[in-house]
Amino acid sequence: MASLLQPDRVLYLVHGEKKIRSPLSTLYFCRYCSELRSLECVSHEVDSHYCPSCLENMPSAEAKLKKNRCANCFDCPCCMHTLSTRATNIPAPLPDDPSKTAMKKAYYLACGFCRWTSRDVGMADKSVASGGWQEPDNPHTQRINKLIEYYQQLAQREKLERDRKKLARRRPYMPLAFSQHTIHVVEKYGLGTRLQRQRPGAPITSLAGLSLKEGEDQKEINIEPAQALDEVEPLPEDCYTRPINLPEVTSLRQRLLQPDFQPAGASQLHPKHKHLLIKRSLRCRKCEHNLSKPEFNPTSIKFKIQLVAVSYIPEVRIMSIPNLRFQKECQVLLTLTNPVENITHVTLVGCEEGDPEDINSTAKVMVPTKELVLAGKDAAAEYDELAEPQDFQDDPDVVAFRKSNKIGFFIKVVPQREEDGDVTVSFKIRHDFRNLAAPIRPSEEGDAPAEAIWLTHHVELSLGPIIA
Amino acid sequence: IPIKPSGQKGTCANIAAGAVVCVESEIRGDVTIGPRTVVHPKARIIAEAGPIIIGEGNLIEEQALIINSYPENILPDTEGVEPKTMTIGINNVFEVGCVSQALKIGDNNVIESKADLGKNVILTSGCIVGACCQVNTCEVIPENTVIYGSNCMRRVQTERPQPQTLQLDFLMKILPNYHHMKKTVKGTSTPVRN
């Protein structure tokens, strides 16, 4: 019954700007706000850039300069796999004595998946293992760079004018800082970083910077406007009659991965440098604390800060479902796991009529009314033979089994709709949470236990179709 | 599957001198194996509906299945069915776990792991059938074709795959140290070493 353990069977509701329902394994828990957070209600920040094949770290400035591409690794233009360098021995004349030949190593790029080699496009073998491969130059690079410079200058001018208007309207005693709006406005034409850096500095210098820029002799960049041509290259005469050589035609994906050239023929597909990947850190938008911060080293998959929901919130999982019948009471076995080390008390409450969060349920559910007690997670429990089993005095009608920090309990489900589709039930789970992140007040003596707060989450379960 | 000999003698394999065929491999029916061919243990060569002739310098790895089977709609007992010979050329590589029912395979082909060739495919020379690719169309694959990817994309490569001479030499030295070999035609149990 592994399908019951599928993550999207049990969804937790996240209160954010949007009400998002997603499995607990994809959620984060901000322990300063004591709330669940999903990927959509946190801000994502780029931590570091690294190449996925050579695992080399790259500082952000260098990455931007190299257009987020690795210097050493290449992608196969045919199947986008990573290319590997292979060596062959070729006889080559010695530089001293042209009549004798010696074996020299020649390197070429080859793809292990589709067997593409750099010799297929006519790239000569290089004598150095790495660093000899160049991407072909884009013939339009100069024009593009000139256009980018011109538009960056234009954007800068527009921003200065906008800021000057705002500053002129302010009263003199107000701090002269750039308005928040200017900084967070979407960067136009890739500028923005220069102006952002002035923000932490003293406000007066920023204004001085404005006037300095005005007085400076900025070299005026003029561009020629693009010219429209009347005549277009005519199609070749055998365009309709020439049979297509299918292996030579590039697919759309292969073509668009090289936007500079977009070659139509496979013999012009040159390898491109490999794209860099990023490591990102997540930050709660309300309290600005970090929820997830990975290690800097690309080879390490651990986290410096990892506030994931599964390590703070008890998790509900479906264990077994009987045959569900329309309007007949069925008993479903669920499990509840306690992720923290202290005892947790959990109360389940059914959703009331007209609950605005309860939009998906198609069945009535009767949850156990008594409070469920979950033992703490004890990592050494399996090795400790002398430990006395804790006696919780469970009601056998409610609790099916108990195993270290997990219990199995029954809920009663009465499907209300006969249509096709899954039976969905929802209820609220209320548990106590001890916030270890809260600062301990120095006036208390001894080990004061952290105060418990009660958290409530809305849980939805998808139990599968009705079996008639 | 009961073995139905095609009427002639030669239900045992004709293994040429110089071939290295492990005892743990399963060879059924009328199979001819050329010199310098290496057949790993657990490889299966089954000549059900006709003889199989394998050339020289081939490498047949573990759990590979080369089978000359009856077409699906013909029962083994039907009379008047002519036995078709399956021919495999030289320097081919059948990687681990592949299944080949193609009746005609040329030279220097590579059939990668878990590939599946149907009965109606004909491989020419220098073709590479990628891992897990199923090719059961009714066609002749042109020379130097590479079939790769989950959608069996194809492309033509400029050079044919190199024959695995180094690997063959290594295996012919090492395999007899760890496995017993099947007897070759000349009656010796150890192959003639190069």
Side-chain angles (χ1 to χ4, degrees), chain A residues 152-168:
Chain A
Q152 270 184 350
Q153 201 190 44
L154 200 61
Q156 203 182 356
R157 254 190 245 156
E158 282 182 6
K159 235 182 199 168
L160 286 178
E161 286 192 19
R162 205 172 357 166
D163 287 333
R164 208 181 324 136
K165 276 192 217 155
K166 286 210 166 130
L167 288 166

Side-chain angles (χ1 to χ4, degrees), chain A residues 78-79 88 108 112-117 119-121 245-248 251 254, chain B residues 95 110 112 128 130 146-150 153-159 161-162:
Chain A
C78 191
C79 65
T88 55
Y108 63 99
F113 189 59
C114 69
R115 312 271 177 147
W116 180 93
T117 62
R119 293 169 177 168
D120 286 352
V121 285
N245 180 13
L246 210 53
E248 176 70 11
S251 72
Q254 291 167 350
Chain B
E95 287 192 12
V110 176
E112 288 189 5
I128 300 184
V146 180
I147 302 178
Y148 67 97
S150 52
M153 316 241 328
R154 296 193 186 185
R155 53 175 290 276
V156 177
Q157 54 175 5
T158 49
E159 38 186 54
Q162 296 166 339

Side-chain angles (χ1 to χ4, degrees), chain A residues 395-463:
Chain A
D395 183 356
D397 286 337
V398 169
V399 176
F401 65 89
R402 181 179 284 273
K403 187 177 167 190
S404 63
N405 61 333
K406 182 159 76 163
I407 63 162
F409 64 99
F410 294 106
I411 59 168
K412 296 187 175 49
V413 173
V414 183
Q416 297 293 308
R417 286 192 218 163
E418 204 174 0
E419 68 213 2
D420 291 333
D422 286 348
V423 174
T424 319
V425 297
S426 45
F427 51 84
K428 301 215 193 300
I429 167 173
R430 188 169 172 265
H431 67 100
D432 58 342
F433 169 67
R434 276 180 180 75
N435 195 353
L436 301 164
I440 302 170
R441 281 164 289 174
S443 57
E444 307 231 0
E445 289 175 0
D447 272 339
E451 290 191 356
I453 54 174
W454 289 86
L455 299 173
T456 309
H457 309 287
H458 178 91
V459 181
E460 283 185 11
L461 294 124
S462 163
L463 296 174

Side-chain angles (χ1 to χ4, degrees), chain A residues 246-424:
Chain A
L246 210 53
E248 176 70 11
V249 177
T250 52
S251 72
L252 258 187
R253 186 152 185 241
Q254 291 167 350
R255 224 178 273 194
L256 294 177
L257 276 176
Q258 316 225 346
D260 302 350
F261 305 99
Q262 293 179 34
S267 48
Q268 275 118 44
L269 281 177
H270 287 267
K272 278 208 111 149
H273 285 279
K274 204 161 180 64
H275 220 95
L276 297 176
L277 297 181
I278 57 163
K279 284 199 169 196
R280 67 172 173 191
S281 57
L282 301 171
R283 196 183 281 275
C284 173
R285 284 201 187 135
K286 286 196 193 149
C287 62
E288 302 288 335
H289 277 104
N290 257 328
L291 294 178
S292 161
K293 199 168 166 75
E295 291 258 354
F296 186 70
N297 192 357
T299 53
S300 165
I301 57 165
K302 296 191 188 169
F303 288 86
K304 286 184 196 158
I305 302 173
Q306 192 183 19
L307 296 179
V308 282
V310 281
S311 34
Y312 293 98
I313 311 285
E315 190 178 359
V316 176
R317 277 197 174 180
I318 306 176
M319 184 143 175
S320 78
I321 308 178
N323 285 334
L324 298 167
R325 296 210 152 76
F326 177 54
Q327 288 194 334
K328 295 242 170 24
E329 194 179 85
C330 325
Q331 212 177 44
V332 176
L333 179 59
L334 304 177
T335 60
L336 198 59
T337 315
N338 180 14
V340 293
E341 284 170 350
N342 30 31
I343 295 183
T344 311
H345 306 268
V346 178
T347 319
L348 301 165
V349 178
C351 293
E352 295 171 16
E353 291 283 328
D355 190 351
E357 294 169 351
D358 185 11
I359 46 176
N360 283 334
S361 63
T362 59
K364 265 198 261 186
V365 60
M366 268 76 78
V367 290
T369 46
K370 285 195 214 164
E371 192 180 65
L372 302 166
V373 183
L374 298 171
K377 182 162 144 183
D378 190 3
E382 51 180 312
Y383 304 110
D384 198 358
E385 289 159 358
L386 300 173
E388 292 169 10
Q390 295 166 302
D391 190 12
F392 285 102
Q393 282 164 356
D394 297 320
D395 183 356
D397 286 337
V398 169
V399 176
F401 65 89
R402 181 179 284 273
K403 187 177 167 190
S404 63
N405 61 333
K406 182 159 76 163
I407 63 162
F409 64 99
F410 294 106
I411 59 168
K412 296 187 175 49
V413 173
V414 183
Q416 297 293 308
R417 286 192 218 163
E418 204 174 0
E419 68 213 2
D420 291 333
D422 286 348
V423 174
T424 319

